[in-house]
């Protein structure tokens, strides 16, 4: 695209001088000159054609002088348009005023066309830089909008209706929360009805951050849910999900998962921990204990793995609290971690609360500990309680 230059001067011979001097650049399509003979005519042309790059304007003109034209140009708020003001040699008062009012540079009459050529080239460098910055800014704003929408979509695919199983409301309490560190996150929770008596619960954390983690999160959630709803054992769900995710994994991404099947009649929990944080069991008595540490690998990283499962029994009033490492690894301004011992201590003070109250108290405790420090990782919690 040629640089569009509007020359504004009541002296007619300047048009000939400029077109003659810059004839090579005009022929090559580098410069495109337009001419006006006073400020009013120039302003009319600028309003009709808003793509002028450089305004080369005399200061002293009839009808509308160059300083008034400069004021009108400033009102257009186009930082990519540069004004070079021209005045008689010695008219430093007007030249100084023009520079103070935002002119890019100035030239004095009689115009030194070699010097003017250098000034125009300098202006073009500035214009190109500004246009590139504007383009990058527009792209960034578009990306931010897309990320915000992606974040809304990601939140929308997670179960958000509580209580989720009205038919079990008298015997089961469920609550969950996911707070991404960025617009989109890699953590997710899920729960779904398997059959008449069993419900699947998932807590997972995808490696990495941002958009790649969010995409892998959506794939992982879909696969685990689809396999889990077949009703097979938790370790078999992880085995099958691992094989499929290994084929989909890019840049060695993986996901840690705690998957449990809860029997609403018996209170039995069959679970498989694939490299995830050990959940806490809150007994009705107030005692808090962490489940045994995982001996399984995460899924999506290594093909051909077998996974082991475990079983626990929930008594009435017992609650299982699952979480991602955004909780225990949350840091304060002194770079101290919230830690699992502090999480356990917090849970020990929450005897008798329901699932939502428990999660709210954990989040409040983490927030108080971090004391305004930036959130470095997604914070996700899921709990269910046998009533």
């Amino acid at each position: 695209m040629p640089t569009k230059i509007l020359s504004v001067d009541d002296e007619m011979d300047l048009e000939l001088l400029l077109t003659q001097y810059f004839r090579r650049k005009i022929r090559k399509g580098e410069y495109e000159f337009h001419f006006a003979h006073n400020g009013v005519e120039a302003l009319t042309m600028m309003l009709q054609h808003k793509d002028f790059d450089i305004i080369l304007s005399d200061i002293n003109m009839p009808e509308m002088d160059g300083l008034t034209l400069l004021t009108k140009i400033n009102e257009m708020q186009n930082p990519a348009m540069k004004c070079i003001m021209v005045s008689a040699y010695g008219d430093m008062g007007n030249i100084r005023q023009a520079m103070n009012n935002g002119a890019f540079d100035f030239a004095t009459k009689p115009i030194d066309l070699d010097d003017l050529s250098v000034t125009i080239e300098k202006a073009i460098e500035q214009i190109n830089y500004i246009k590139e910055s504007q383009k990058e800014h527009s792209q960034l704003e578009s990306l931010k909008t897309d990320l915000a929408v992606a974040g809304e979509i990601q939140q929308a695919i997670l179960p958000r209706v509580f209580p989720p199983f009205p038919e079990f409301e008298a015997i089961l309490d469920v609550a969950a929360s996911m707070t991404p560190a960025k617009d989109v996150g890699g953590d997710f929770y899920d729960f779904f009805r398997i059959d008449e008596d069993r419900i699947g619960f998932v807590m997972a954390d995808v490696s990495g951050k941002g958009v790649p983690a969010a995409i892998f999160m959506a794939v992982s959630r879909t696969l685990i849910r689809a396999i889990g709803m077949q009703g097979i054992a938790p370790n078999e769900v992880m085995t099958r999900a691992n094989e499929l995710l290994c084929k989909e994994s890019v840049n060695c991404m993986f996901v840690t998962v705690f998957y449990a099947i809860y029997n609403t009649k018996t209170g039995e929990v069959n679970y498989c921990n694939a490299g995830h944080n050990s959940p806490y069991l809150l007994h009705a008595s107030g005692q808090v204990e962490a489940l045994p540490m995982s001996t399984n690998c995460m899924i999506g990283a290594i093909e051909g793995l077998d996974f082991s499962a475990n079983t626990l029994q929930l008594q009435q009033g017992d609650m299982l609290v699952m979480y991602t490492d955004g909780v225990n690894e949350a840091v304060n301004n002194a770079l101290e971690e919230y830690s699992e011992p502090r999480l356990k201590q917090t849970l020990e003070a929450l005897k008798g609360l329901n699932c939502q109250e428990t999660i709210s108290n954990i989040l409040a405790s983490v927030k108080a500990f971090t004391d305004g420090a930036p959130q470095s990782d997604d914070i996700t919690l899921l709990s269910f309680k046998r009533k």
Side-chain angles (χ1 to χ4, degrees):
M1 291 286 292
T3 299
K4 295 187 70 171
I5 303 171
L6 175 60
S7 173
V8 190
D9 200 301
D10 57 340
E11 296 182 12
M12 306 299 291
D13 58 347
L14 183 61
E15 182 174 339
L16 181 60
L17 283 172
L18 292 174
T19 51
Q20 177 63 26
Y21 183 85
F22 292 106
R23 63 188 182 278
R24 288 190 179 87
K25 288 186 176 290
I26 294 171
R27 280 202 298 265
K28 290 179 180 179
E30 296 177 21
Y31 289 177
E32 181 181 307
F33 276 92
H34 299 260
F35 298 93
H37 304 104
N38 58 63
V40 173
E41 185 181 343
L43 190 60
T44 301
M45 292 175 68
M46 279 187 281
L47 291 173
Q48 292 174 344
H49 307 283
K50 300 182 184 297
D51 57 347
F52 284 112
D53 299 300
I54 296 173
I55 310 300
L56 178 64
S57 176
D58 192 9
I59 290 180
N60 300 299
M61 296 182 296
E63 295 191 54
M64 180 188 290
D65 62 27
L67 293 176
T68 304
L69 176 62
L70 180 60
T71 300
K72 298 294 184 183
I73 291 171
N74 288 336
E75 291 172 359
M76 295 179 181
Q77 297 184 331
N78 180 4
M81 184 187 292
K82 298 300 178 184
C83 297
I84 302 171
M85 306 305 291
V86 179
S87 190
Y89 181 78
D91 187 16
M92 294 309 296
N94 279 331
I95 290 173
R96 183 176 177 81
Q97 185 177 346
M99 297 300 293
N100 288 339
N101 290 350
F104 173 75
D105 209 335
F106 69 92
T108 57
K109 292 184 176 181
I111 295 177
D112 182 336
L113 292 174
D114 290 337
D115 181 66
L116 178 63
S117 177
V118 173
T119 302
I120 290 174
E121 289 296 326
K122 280 168 45 186
I124 291 171
E125 287 179 11
Q126 286 280 324
I127 291 164
N128 289 339
Y129 175 79
I130 291 170
K131 285 183 176 181
E132 187 62 31
S133 297
Q134 289 174 330
K135 180 181 177 182
E136 290 175 357
H137 178 74
S138 296
Q139 291 172 339
L140 180 60
E141 288 299 313
S142 177
L143 180 59
K144 286 172 68 176
T145 301
D146 289 346
L147 282 173
V149 173
E152 291 174 5
I153 293 172
Q154 187 178 45
Q155 290 284 350
I157 68 174
L158 300 178
R160 294 185 298 169
V161 177
F162 297 95
F165 308 106
E167 64 275 27
F168 296 132
E169 190 172 354
I171 58 174
L172 177 66
D173 183 22
V174 180
S177 169
M178 197 276 266
T179 307
K182 297 184 177 180
D183 292 301
V184 290
D187 285 9
F188 67 95
Y189 65 83
D190 199 9
F191 41 80
F192 45 85
R193 184 89 175 260
I194 296 174
D195 54 31
E196 184 178 345
D197 301 323
R198 296 185 300 163
I199 297 172
F201 289 93
V202 182
M203 172 60 66
D205 185 358
V206 173
S207 62
K209 300 285 189 298
V211 174
I215 294 172
F216 201 64
M217 166 265 190
V219 173
S220 301
R221 175 190 175 271
T222 301
L223 284 176
I224 293 171
R225 173 178 272 247
I227 299 169
M229 291 183 75
Q230 297 174 19
I232 58 180
N235 57 314
E236 185 61 28
V237 172
M238 291 296 97
T239 299
R240 294 188 188 182
N242 180 60
E243 292 305 306
L244 291 170
L245 283 175
C246 282
K247 294 178 172 60
E248 301 294 332
S249 181
V250 178
N251 295 329
C252 300
M253 296 188 75
F254 59 87
V255 55
T256 65
V257 184
F258 181 87
Y259 175 57
I261 297 176
Y262 174 64
N263 189 308
T264 59
K265 280 189 175 179
T266 66
E268 185 179 71
V269 180
N270 295 314
Y271 68 89
C272 178
N273 189 342
H276 198 73
N277 301 77
S278 295
Y280 282 95
L281 178 58
L282 280 68
H283 293 279
S285 63
Q287 179 189 357
V288 177
E289 63 174 306
L291 298 192
M293 209 130 161
S294 170
T295 58
N296 296 311
C297 186
M298 61 279 189
I299 64 173
I302 304 170
E303 292 184 75
L305 294 178
D306 290 322
F307 293 81
S308 60
N310 298 85
T311 301
L312 67 92
Q313 179 67 42
L314 288 191
Q315 304 299 331
Q316 288 185 354
D318 289 351
M319 180 192 301
L320 194 64
V321 178
M322 295 157 276
Y323 62 98
T324 60
D325 57 15
V327 176
N328 59 292
E329 293 180 3
V331 296
N332 59 18
N333 291 303
L335 300 182
E336 299 167 328
E337 287 193 352
Y338 184 75
S339 76
E340 291 185 12
R342 186 175 276 105
L343 175 58
K344 183 179 180 183
Q345 185 179 14
T346 299
L347 292 171
E348 287 171 342
L350 303 180
K351 177 184 176 182
L353 299 184
N354 64 31
C355 289
Q356 184 55 62
E357 291 168 338
T358 300
I359 286 177
S360 296
N361 274 273
I362 295 170
L363 292 174
S365 176
V366 172
K367 183 178 180 181
F369 174 80
T370 56
D371 192 26
Q375 183 181 334
S376 59
D377 200 358
D378 306 331
I379 295 176
T380 306
L381 292 149
L382 170 62
S383 66
F384 64 91
K385 180 178 185 178
R386 185 182 185 189
K387 292 185 177 180

